[in-house]
Amino acid sequence: MANQQADYALQYQAAQQNPEAYWAEQAGNINWFKPPQTTLEALPNGSHRWYPDGELNSCYLALDQHLETRGDQVALYYDSPASDVKQAISFRELHQQVALFAGTLKGLGVEKGDTVVIYMPMIPEAAVAMLACARLGAVHSVVFGGFAPNELAIRIDDAKPKLILTASCGIEFDKLIAYKPLVDKAVALAQHKPLHTLVCQRPMLQADMDDQRDLDWYACQQGAEPADCVPVQGKDPLYILYTSGTTGAPKGIVRDNGGHAVALNYALHNVYGMQSGDVWWGASDIGWVVGHSFIVYGPLMGGCSAIFYEGKPIRTPDAGAFWRVISEYGVNAMFCAPTAFRAVRKEDSEGLLSKEYDLSSLKRLFVAGEKLDSSTYHWLDDLLGVPVIDHWWQTETGWPMTSPMMGWNNPSASRLGSTNKPIPGYDIQVVDGAGQPVEANKTGNIVVSLPMPPGVAWDIWNQPQRFTDSYLTAFPGFYHTGDGGFKDDEGYVYITGRTDDVINVSGHRLSTGEMEEVVSAHHAVAECAVIGMQDTLKGQLPVGLVVLKADVDIDPEVLEAELVQMVRDQVGALACFRKAVVVQRLPKTRSGKILRAILRKIAANQDYKMPSTIDDESILGEITDIMQRTGMI
């Protein structure tokens, strides 16, 4: 539970001075089958793992431990404006569903250590699938529903799953996306052939089944015996989650059971300030790390009711969708990417739709995944009147690295542009290219001293050397985050962007993120991306790609002149920001991150590999045409 009386400075110092003792104490808040004898174990590559010999089960922590105390409390509120379905599923009901489905998987030969690929939309069966795998000690790998067959095939060959779990379709606004043909093609492309594909048939689209390989989700559960929890060790893997790699091949980030459970319990109560019985909404998808940590495992382990939402922030049916959900279920705290709120603001710039709902249950709003620009921050702050909290973490860490500790007395105040102070356990440093510390307020590479706290990945599936090369080699003794930024005099961390989001203008290294902050503050701008273009004289020049708010009518030349002046005033003439181009939309991943690296390659006329995570491939053609018409390429 949250320690309301905890003092940040004392807690942070305790975690710094003796991390083993600090995290041994936190491990006491978890119901282990067998408490760990070893708290921290050093690995040959310089990394570490936590609680390797403890025994536990993540499904037990999410469901079984709550049956006596809160069995009738809602575990998941399923809300699907996409399919017009709502369900309130109690801990007891979810436990029954998971135990039976685990028994079904067991009957199909799934055992501890086997892998299972889950390729599903945001329906309750997806959460059941994840928890059933955890119950058996099997390793699940959730692949975002709708990934292209080739990308799914790559993951099948890497994870080598015994089974694939899928649904007949997903829903994108008013469009049905048939999943089964994508899975069939992926299996055909893959060298590894899973034994079966289990298909959850949805009423709006029925999949064609292969009698030899495919099984109906519910029919195959007939006659199955509910399965008990299988004890696993703390070091045993819970899941693989693939993230894009710079070389093109996805990296299978491995999350262990022990450190993950301790970290999520700590984060839910101390970072997010949630109490058992509260209503929590992680507005994301199970295909991403937020969905793993803070839609399924974290809230359920902490005894919260979690929102399981199949819909969008807009057009389901309108830009008031988020406000409706908060009001209807009494959401106490919410986590979302800034991108979603920029979409809401684009459609409803005055926030009038929020006035139609009672939002009094909401105590705080957390954002992460993209830089929170000041314009969006002020809009949310004015609209909601609750703390709007920017914080920072990565797929690799699995839980936040910087944030105010909202479960404690006197959490650190928000500071615009900063993702706040490091969370206890994260010794965040800023170093130059040679690994030497830089002074306060000077930009450099963001790194974290080893050991990292529990819950952080320490391996890549089947590629241990790649983990070492990706994260531990550039700056020995540190985890390399790949982000750039600085710390101010009081220890607040400022993330300026990925280290490749820095451009060199006449020898000046400038952050495109800083310029985006300025551009996005313009009253007409909904969102933007600033990229560097090659220039024979200055090396690189910044160009802004700008999406306008829905209700704005402004001459593009006037807008460009105003943006150029704003950047000149706030960043300086040395930025040489002279061009802003209006576009209808920006290419993004399905989790809402703008694909800046691809934009840079288009602008440089370089070949690029279509990102597996892209939301809509057609946008790249639109952007290329605009760049050609405006003389950018």
Side-chain angles (χ1 to χ4, degrees):
M1 298 299 291
N3 182 357
Q4 294 286 340
Q5 305 306 312
D7 177 81
Y8 171 80
L10 292 176
Q11 293 284 321
Y12 190 79
Q13 186 178 33
Q16 291 284 92
Q17 291 180 341
N18 193 337
E20 199 165 342
Y22 186 84
W23 292 107
E25 182 181 352
Q26 304 307 323
N29 296 322
I30 294 297
N31 284 326
W32 300 85
F33 296 155
K34 177 183 167 187
Q37 302 302 302
T38 303
T39 300
L40 179 64
E41 179 184 11
L43 299 175
N45 66 353
S47 186
H48 303 76
R49 62 186 176 194
W50 295 85
Y51 322 117
D53 57 0
E55 290 187 4
L56 76 165
N57 183 280
S58 294
C59 180
Y60 177 89
L61 296 176
L63 298 176
D64 301 62
Q65 71 167 342
H66 299 307
L67 294 180
E68 285 188 19
T69 55
R70 57 187 68 254
D72 295 326
Q73 178 192 310
V74 173
L76 293 179
Y77 285 108
Y78 173 54
D79 188 290
S80 174
S83 62
D84 197 28
V85 175
K86 296 177 184 179
Q87 295 176 21
I89 305 169
S90 70
F91 276 97
R92 183 167 288 109
E93 290 166 336
L94 188 57
H95 173 265
Q96 291 169 349
Q97 293 176 30
V98 168
L100 183 62
F101 193 64
T104 303
L105 298 182
K106 184 177 178 181
L108 293 171
V110 175
E111 301 174 343
K112 177 181 173 181
D114 286 340
T115 56
V116 174
V117 161
I118 300 172
Y119 184 82
M120 297 186 73
M122 286 292 289
I123 55 177
E125 287 86 351
V128 169
M130 295 169 69
L131 292 163
C133 290
R135 193 170 190 85
L136 298 176
V139 183
H140 63 68
S141 182
V142 180
V143 179
F144 184 86
F147 258 161
N150 181 61
E151 294 295 334
L152 179 56
I154 291 170
R155 289 154 174 78
I156 291 171
D157 279 337
D158 193 61
K160 295 182 170 50
K162 188 164 278 188
L163 302 175
I164 296 181
L165 310 180
T166 191
S168 56
C169 69
I171 308 172
E172 288 280 332
F173 295 116
D174 54 358
K175 185 171 72 171
L176 298 180
I177 300 173
Y179 280 8
K180 182 62 168 34
L182 302 176
V183 172
D184 289 345
K185 186 173 181 183
V187 171
L189 290 169
Q191 296 295 310
H192 174 81
K193 306 297 181 186
L195 294 176
H196 299 287
T197 299
L198 273 66
V199 183
C200 181
Q201 297 278 21
R202 304 188 71 181
M204 64 285 299
L205 190 150
Q206 297 284 302
D208 293 332
M209 304 286 275
D210 179 332
D211 293 341
Q212 300 301 308
R213 188 180 69 237
D214 301 334
L215 298 171
D216 180 271
W217 190 278
Y218 284 103
C220 71
Q221 295 184 52
Q222 299 301 315
E225 288 289 322
D228 289 330
C229 292
V230 173
V232 299
Q233 290 195 310
K235 66 182 179 183
D236 287 338
L238 170 65
Y239 68 75
I240 307 163
L241 184 57
Y242 288 93
T243 185
S244 300
T246 53
T247 59
K251 294 180 290 190
I253 300 299
V254 180
R255 192 80 64 214
D256 62 2
N257 274 273
H260 179 251
V262 172
L264 292 191
N265 183 73
Y266 181 89
L268 185 78
H269 297 307
N270 298 298
V271 178
Y272 295 115
M274 301 300 288
Q275 306 288 336
S276 298
D278 285 349
V279 180
W280 165 265
W281 185 13
S284 184
D285 187 281
I286 57 160
W288 316 121
V289 69
V290 175
H292 287 59
S293 296
F294 295 113
I295 295 179
V296 179
Y297 288 109
L300 297 182
M301 286 178 174
C304 292
S305 301
I307 307 294
F308 207 83
Y309 179 72
E310 185 187 27
K312 300 288 186 181
I314 58 173
R315 292 172 51 198
T316 52
D318 55 29
F322 276 11
W323 315 132
R324 175 191 65 78
V325 172
I326 291 169
S327 175
E328 192 166 328
Y329 303 107
V331 172
N332 301 124
M334 180 183 181
F335 178 117
C336 193
T339 308
F341 290 111
R342 286 198 286 265
V344 172
R345 185 185 177 201
K346 182 176 185 292
E347 298 294 317
D348 180 22
S349 60
E350 299 299 317
L352 296 178
L353 289 170
S354 70
K355 310 304 180 190
E356 299 178 12
Y357 300 97
D358 178 4
L359 305 181
S360 60
S361 65
L362 190 68
K363 298 175 183 175
R364 56 190 76 97
L365 172 66
F366 293 87
V367 296
E370 273 273 298
K371 186 175 177 66
L372 176 63
D373 57 281
S374 58
S375 179
T376 303
Y377 168 80
H378 286 304
W379 186 77
L380 287 167
D381 187 52
D382 292 343
L383 200 66
L384 300 175
V386 302
V388 177
I389 299 155
D390 192 7
H391 67 319
W392 170 63
W393 48 300
Q394 301 177 324
T395 299
E396 290 85 348
T397 65
W399 65 289
M401 288 188 274
T402 66
S403 176
M405 306 298 288
M406 298 307 292
W408 296 355
N409 262 348
N410 304 315
S412 309
S414 291
R415 191 165 289 184
L416 202 55
S418 171
T419 60
N420 221 275
K421 293 184 176 182
I423 288 167
Y426 289 100
D427 179 15
I428 295 176
Q429 303 290 330
V430 185
V431 300
D432 61 20
Q436 296 302 306
V438 302
E439 59 195 42
N441 300 304
K442 186 173 180 182
T443 301
N445 301 282
I446 305 279
V447 297
V448 188
S449 300
L450 300 176
M452 297 277 272
V456 176
W458 44 267
D459 197 11
I460 290 176
W461 188 255
N462 290 333
Q463 301 182 78
Q465 186 59 45
R466 189 176 181 191
F467 181 89
T468 302
D469 294 344
S470 297
Y471 304 108
L472 305 178
T473 301
F475 302 103
F478 295 99
Y479 164 82
H480 181 208
T481 68
D483 281 320
F486 62 93
K487 288 168 67 176
D488 69 13
D489 297 307
E490 296 178 53
Y492 278 78
V493 176
Y494 294 74
I495 305 298
T496 54
R498 300 297 289 175
T499 48
D500 57 4
D501 285 343
V502 174
I503 62 174
N504 196 316
V505 181
S506 298
H508 300 288
R509 286 175 57 79
L510 299 172
S511 165
T512 54
E514 187 178 359
M515 286 180 253
E516 286 180 8
E517 170 76 13
V518 176
V519 172
S520 65
H522 191 283
H523 69 88
V525 174
E527 60 181 347
C528 68
V530 175
I531 60 173
M533 288 182 52
Q534 297 305 310
D535 181 78
T536 53
L537 183 62
K538 296 183 179 293
Q540 285 180 294
L541 286 175
V543 175
L545 301 175
V546 176
V547 179
L548 300 181
K549 292 175 184 172
D551 54 353
V552 164
D553 182 17
I554 187 170
D555 184 281
E557 292 185 5
V558 172
L559 175 66
E560 182 177 65
E562 292 177 357
L563 293 176
V564 167
Q565 189 61 47
M566 287 172 66
V567 174
R568 185 182 181 90
D569 291 344
Q570 297 179 50
V571 179
L574 57 80
C576 294
F577 182 90
R578 296 170 186 156
K579 194 172 187 66
V581 178
V582 175
V583 297
Q584 291 301 307
R585 49 192 185 150
L586 292 167
K588 296 176 184 176
T589 66
R590 291 185 178 90
S591 61
K593 292 186 178 181
I594 297 170
L595 289 161
R596 293 173 176 83
I598 296 298
L599 291 173
R600 286 194 294 270
K601 288 189 174 181
I602 293 173
N605 251 330
Q606 295 176 352
D607 292 336
Y608 59 85
K609 180 177 180 287
M610 184 65 69
S612 60
T613 54
I614 192 166
D615 186 39
D616 185 345
E617 295 180 10
S618 66
I619 297 177
L620 298 183
E622 294 175 13
I623 294 289
T624 303
D625 289 344
I626 290 171
M627 287 187 180
Q628 288 171 340
R629 281 204 317 270
T630 56
M632 291 176 64
I633 54 176

